[in-house]
């Protein structure tokens, strides 16, 4: 017994001590213990990894000249020119070797492109333009030559003379030191040189190649090689008939034929798919009674895929070059973004319809209209973002596009001021919700039922069955009396009884009417008035004032009739007579005639 009592007392003290603990401190202590355990578990693992690293040293770096990831040397004008020439010489040797694939020329060609300042070239054309400019500069240098190698500034001379630019003597080919950005300090062929490279080549194209270090025909081989890389087999006309290798507008005839076949085929497939989709959707709409657009979405996605594929085919396989490539690329960028915008508009316009059907919302209700409006705004935002991105891809500055959009939006706003006012009014109606479809409202002296709330106007069906369209801007500025949102509907009328009705019978009639109101289920029981209210010229007037709790006007008429019929029956039981608008004239005596009446013969 003593042992049991001791255990019980100890348990009680332990419970009291636990109750006195601050649980926040206890949680912190538990977290600390867990952290210590985790650190204890990972410390041996860290020690093991360190020991393994010491026992097994990391692999040594390969020689710099063998590392394909090593960037080209652009530390000085001399290093940059050497990087361009040496890499393109390697491209030439690989392209001339029939045992090697043209794709193997890509790595040295891309290293040569790294010597160019492409900061002002649109990103959609940067890679293609860079390869062309590098080859064009090599063609120019092969014809005009370079000064002695030792006379070209190296890194020491650049630092000693604080040079920031250097021009190849007797040319306008300029190399500049990049002052900012991720390549700050690098010497690159300037953006102006990149822009004028084609003009430089056109000026020296008829000059002969220098006898040493030249790479004859390297640019022509690039323009004629299908796919990526350079293969001199195509340039030497061994793979095609001579007439197909002839140039027209800077491109070979076979390139024009291949591009035309690809474009015509893509357009035919896209149009066929779209027409089949629209035909199938019209049949589905006639069968289901609602519009479906998923087939159009598939057709648009197919068209977008075809446009991207043909663009890539012309750029990478058919290999258009020069200004023609940039013009075609701009056209395809516009086509691709237009198709994407169309697809986004169709998808975003169908999403609210799916939500409305799944939630079983009223199709023309405010919630549905607000949902549609929200997705239309998303369409506008998405298309604006696409316009900005497309402009950036084809080389238009973003700030110019934004300025144009701003000016255009201002012009549209001024030209469509009333339309925008109605649109804002519709948004205000949808957010504030002063009425809903089906409500009975009074607006600017017009009374009727709301049939539709659109983005421009609200349609009201009047009680003489005409349809009235009220601009939403006027609707929000008007005073709206929403009769459809009444909790109770008032009934106010006057019961006229005859003056010869005894007071006791009047009191019984009034109390009986009160009982009728209390006994009717649809009436408001806590607030009504039935009183003898006035002495009218031809009647005693009893004011009847009560409320009905009914859902609509039709039910109001039925319940009003029920109450009035009960009052008529009550009046018959109490023998209370309703008065008519009559007058009684009392004449005390007739005036005497001053002369006797005489008959007048006709």
């Amino acid at each position: 017994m003593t042992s049991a009592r001791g255990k019980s007392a100890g348990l009680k003290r332990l419970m009291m001590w636990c109750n006195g603990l601050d649980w926040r401190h206890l949680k912190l202590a538990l977290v600390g213990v867990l952290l210590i355990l985790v650190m204890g578990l990972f410390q041996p693992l860290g020690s093991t990894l360190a020991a393994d690293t010491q026992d097994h040293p990391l692999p040594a770096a390969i020689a710099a000249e063998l590392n394909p990831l090593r960037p080209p040397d652009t530390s000085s004008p001399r290093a940059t020119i050497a990087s361009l020439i040496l890499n393109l010489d390697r491209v030439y040797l690989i392209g001339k070797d029939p045992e090697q694939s043209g794709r193997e020329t890509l790595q040295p060609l891309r290293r040569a492109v790294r010597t160019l300042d492409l900061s002002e070239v649109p990103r959609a054309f940067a890679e293609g333009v860079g390869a062309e400019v590098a080859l064009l500069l090599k063609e120019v240098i092969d014809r005009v030559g370079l000064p002695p190698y030792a006379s070209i500034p190296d890194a020491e001379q650049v630092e000693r003379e604080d040079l920031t630019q250097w021009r190849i003597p007797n040319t306008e080919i300029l190399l500049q030191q990049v002052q900012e950005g991720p390549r700050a300090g690098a010497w690159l062929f300037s953006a102006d040189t990149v822009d004028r490279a084609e003009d430089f080549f056109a000026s020296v194209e008829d000059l002969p190649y220098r006898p040493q270090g030249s790479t004859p025909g390297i640019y022509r081989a690039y323009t004629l090689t299908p796919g990526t890389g350079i293969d001199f087999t195509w340039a030497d006309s061994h793979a095609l008939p001579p007439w197909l290798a002839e140039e027209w507008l800077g491109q070979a005839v076979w390139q024009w034929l291949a591009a035309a076949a690809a474009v015509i085929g893509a357009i035919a497939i896209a149009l066929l798919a779209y027409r089949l989709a629209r035909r199938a959707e019209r049949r589905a709409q006639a069968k289901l009674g609602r519009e479906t657009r998923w087939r159009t979405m598939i057709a648009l996605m197919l068209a977008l895929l075809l446009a991207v594929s043909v663009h890539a085919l012309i750029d990478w396989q058919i290999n258009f070059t020069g200004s023609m490539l940039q013009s075609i690329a701009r056209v395809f960028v516009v086509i691709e973004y237009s198709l994407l915008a169309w697809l986004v508009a169709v998808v975003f316009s169908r999403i609210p319809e799916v939500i409305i059907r799944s939630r079983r919302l009223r199709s023309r209700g405010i919630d549905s209209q607000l949902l549609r409006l929200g997705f239309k705004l998303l369409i506008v935002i998405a298309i604006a973002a696409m316009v900005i991105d497309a402009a950036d891809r084809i080389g238009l500055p973003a700030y110019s596009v934004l300025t144009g959009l701003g000016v255009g939006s201002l012009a549209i706003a001024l030209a469509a001021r009333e339309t925008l006012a109605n649109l804002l009014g519709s948004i205000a109606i949808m957010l504030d919700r002063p009425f809903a479809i089906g409500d009975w409202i009074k607006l600017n002296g017009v009374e009727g039922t709301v049939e539709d709330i659109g983005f421009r106007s609200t349609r009201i069906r009047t009680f003489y069955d005409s349809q009235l369209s009220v601009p939403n801007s006027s609707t929000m500025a008007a005073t709206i009396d929403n009769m459809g949102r009444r909790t109770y509907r008032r009934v106010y009328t006057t019961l006229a009884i005859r003056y010869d009705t005894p007071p006791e019978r009047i009191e019984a009639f009034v109390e009986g009417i009160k009982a009728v109101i209390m006994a009717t289920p649809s009436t408001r029981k806590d607030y009504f008035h039935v009183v003898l209210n006035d002495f009218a010229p031809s009647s005693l007037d009893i004011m009847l004032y009560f409320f009905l709790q009914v859902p609509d006007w039709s039910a109001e008429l039925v319940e009003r009739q029920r109450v009035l019929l009960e009052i008529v029956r009550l009046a018959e039981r109490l023998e209370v007579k309703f008065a008519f608008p009559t007058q009684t004239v009392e004449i005390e005596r007739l005036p005497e005639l001053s002369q006797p009446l005489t008959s007048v013969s006709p």
Side-chain angles (χ1 to χ4, degrees):
M1 291 292 293
T2 304
S3 176
R5 288 195 191 97
K7 291 181 180 179
S8 177
L11 183 60
K12 288 180 180 180
R13 285 195 298 271
L14 179 62
M15 292 177 64
M16 291 174 63
W17 179 79
C18 290
N19 290 332
L21 282 176
D22 188 343
W23 287 102
R24 290 176 299 179
H25 294 166
L26 182 58
K27 290 178 180 178
L28 290 175
L30 291 174
V31 170
V33 171
L34 289 174
L35 287 176
I36 292 171
L37 291 175
V38 170
M39 291 173 64
L41 289 174
F42 279 97
Q43 185 175 2
L45 180 60
S47 302
T48 303
L49 290 175
D52 291 343
T53 303
Q54 293 176 358
D55 295 339
H56 301 83
L58 297 176
I62 63 176
E65 61 274 9
L66 300 177
N67 189 349
L69 300 180
R70 177 176 59 89
D73 187 1
T74 56
S75 59
S76 65
R78 183 187 298 179
T80 299
I81 292 175
S83 295
L84 175 73
I85 292 176
L86 291 176
N87 281 289
L88 292 182
D89 285 345
R90 186 181 171 200
V91 169
Y92 183 79
L93 293 175
I94 296 173
K96 278 289 189 178
D97 187 355
E99 302 296 328
Q100 299 191 62
S101 169
R103 294 185 59 86
E104 296 181 21
T105 63
L106 288 177
Q107 182 181 351
L109 182 58
R110 288 169 180 167
R111 288 177 61 82
V113 171
R114 293 280 291 168
T115 64
L116 308 176
D117 183 1
L118 301 176
S119 59
E120 295 185 9
V121 178
R123 58 188 175 94
F125 318 134
E127 188 170 355
V129 168
E132 292 176 26
V133 170
L135 295 170
L136 289 172
L137 289 177
K138 184 64 168 62
E139 291 277 2
V140 173
I141 292 172
D142 285 349
R143 287 172 170 85
V144 300
L146 290 170
Y149 189 68
S151 66
I152 302 175
D154 60 3
E156 293 182 1
Q157 185 178 350
V158 166
E159 186 176 358
R160 184 174 63 251
E161 299 180 9
D162 195 21
L163 297 177
T164 58
Q165 63 180 21
W166 183 80
R167 190 184 308 273
I168 296 178
N170 301 318
T171 71
E172 295 183 89
I173 299 175
L174 181 67
L175 288 89
Q176 287 183 326
Q177 188 178 38
V178 180
Q179 301 299 319
E180 58 185 12
R183 302 198 66 186
W187 281 84
L188 305 176
F189 288 93
S190 68
D192 180 68
T193 299
V194 170
D195 184 55
R196 300 175 61 190
E198 195 169 354
D199 295 334
F200 295 157
F201 174 70
S203 300
V204 302
E205 187 176 5
D206 294 332
L207 296 179
Y209 287 99
R210 305 295 292 174
Q212 293 181 349
S214 297
T215 53
I218 191 171
Y219 179 68
R220 175 173 170 78
Y222 172 76
T223 60
L224 294 179
T225 302
T228 56
I230 297 177
D231 188 346
F232 276 82
T233 304
W234 294 83
D236 296 335
S237 299
H238 295 325
L240 291 172
W243 68 274
L244 287 178
E246 292 182 2
E247 290 190 7
W248 182 64
L249 296 178
Q251 318 300 320
V253 172
W254 76 264
Q255 291 174 310
W256 285 111
L257 294 176
V263 170
I264 294 173
I267 292 175
I269 293 173
L271 289 177
L272 178 62
Y274 182 75
R275 290 185 178 181
L276 291 176
R278 293 299 297 159
R279 184 180 300 174
E281 285 176 350
R282 284 192 291 268
R283 292 176 181 174
Q285 184 175 4
K287 183 178 180 180
L288 301 176
R290 56 182 174 84
E291 188 178 27
T292 59
R293 298 297 299 275
W294 63 267
R295 297 175 183 85
T296 298
M297 297 178 197
I298 293 176
L300 290 175
M301 286 189 285
L302 176 61
L304 180 59
L305 180 61
L306 288 171
V308 173
S309 301
V310 173
H311 185 188
L313 180 67
I314 292 175
D315 192 0
W316 296 108
Q317 297 300 321
I318 300 176
N319 197 22
F320 269 52
T321 57
S323 58
M324 186 59 64
L325 172 63
Q326 297 186 31
S327 300
I328 292 176
R330 287 188 173 93
V331 172
F332 271 98
V333 166
V334 173
I335 292 174
E336 290 164 11
Y337 276 85
S338 299
L339 289 172
L340 182 60
W342 189 359
L343 178 61
V344 168
V346 172
V347 172
F348 278 25
S349 64
R350 298 311 303 167
I351 290 177
E353 303 302 327
V354 173
I355 296 175
I356 290 169
R357 286 201 306 271
S358 63
R359 298 293 182 89
R360 297 182 180 178
L361 301 176
R362 184 184 297 177
S363 177
R364 304 301 298 176
I366 291 181
D367 291 336
S368 301
Q369 295 283 46
L370 189 60
L371 195 61
R372 293 189 184 102
L373 178 61
F375 275 92
K376 286 183 178 179
L377 292 177
L378 287 178
I379 291 173
V380 173
I381 294 172
I383 291 178
M386 291 179 199
V387 169
I388 295 173
D389 188 61
D392 180 62
R393 285 190 61 186
I394 62 178
L396 295 178
Y399 63 86
S400 300
V401 178
L402 291 174
T403 303
L405 289 176
V407 173
S409 300
L410 180 61
I412 293 173
L414 293 175
R417 185 170 47 189
E418 293 298 326
T419 302
L420 290 177
N422 290 328
L423 178 62
L424 294 176
S426 67
I427 295 174
I429 291 173
M430 293 174 186
L431 294 177
D432 190 44
R433 303 191 180 191
F435 51 80
I437 293 177
D439 284 354
W440 167 19
I441 64 171
K442 294 180 179 179
L443 174 68
N444 292 336
V446 177
E447 188 173 358
T449 304
V450 178
E451 277 196 341
D452 183 41
I453 304 171
F455 293 116
R456 194 200 72 83
S457 63
T458 297
R459 294 181 179 86
I460 300 173
R461 180 69 64 178
T462 63
F463 292 127
Y464 39 91
D465 202 34
S466 66
Q467 189 182 68
L468 182 69
S469 294
V470 184
N472 288 330
S473 57
S474 302
T475 302
M476 289 308 299
T479 300
I480 302 170
D481 187 3
N482 193 329
M483 307 295 288
R485 291 188 180 177
R486 293 175 293 175
T487 304
Y488 300 100
R489 297 171 183 254
R490 189 187 70 167
V491 177
Y492 175 73
T493 187
T494 299
L495 303 177
I497 62 176
R498 292 173 54 172
Y499 264 99
D500 58 358
T501 306
E504 296 80 7
R505 196 173 297 172
I506 294 174
E507 289 181 352
F509 186 54
V510 168
E511 293 301 322
I513 294 174
K514 291 179 181 180
V516 169
I517 294 174
M518 293 296 293
T520 303
S522 59
T523 57
R524 182 177 178 180
K525 308 298 189 296
D526 60 340
Y527 186 70
F528 61 87
H529 297 286
V530 183
V531 293
L532 179 62
N533 187 50
D534 197 8
F535 293 96
S538 60
S539 63
L540 296 172
D541 289 348
I542 297 175
M543 181 184 72
L544 179 61
Y545 184 90
F546 66 97
F547 292 88
L548 294 171
Q549 189 173 10
V550 289
D552 51 41
W553 189 48
S554 299
E556 176 186 354
L557 295 177
V558 172
E559 294 301 319
R560 179 188 179 108
Q561 172 183 280
R562 177 184 298 178
V563 173
L564 295 180
L565 286 175
E566 290 298 325
I567 292 173
V568 170
R569 294 188 182 98
L570 175 66
E572 289 180 354
R573 289 197 301 269
L574 297 178
E575 296 182 356
V576 172
K577 305 297 183 182
F578 293 103
F580 298 96
T582 58
Q583 289 183 342
T584 302
V585 179
E586 295 184 1
I587 302 176
E588 294 183 356
R589 64 187 182 86
L590 292 173
E592 295 179 359
L593 296 175
S594 57
Q595 295 180 356
L597 294 174
T598 58
S599 61
V600 180
S601 61

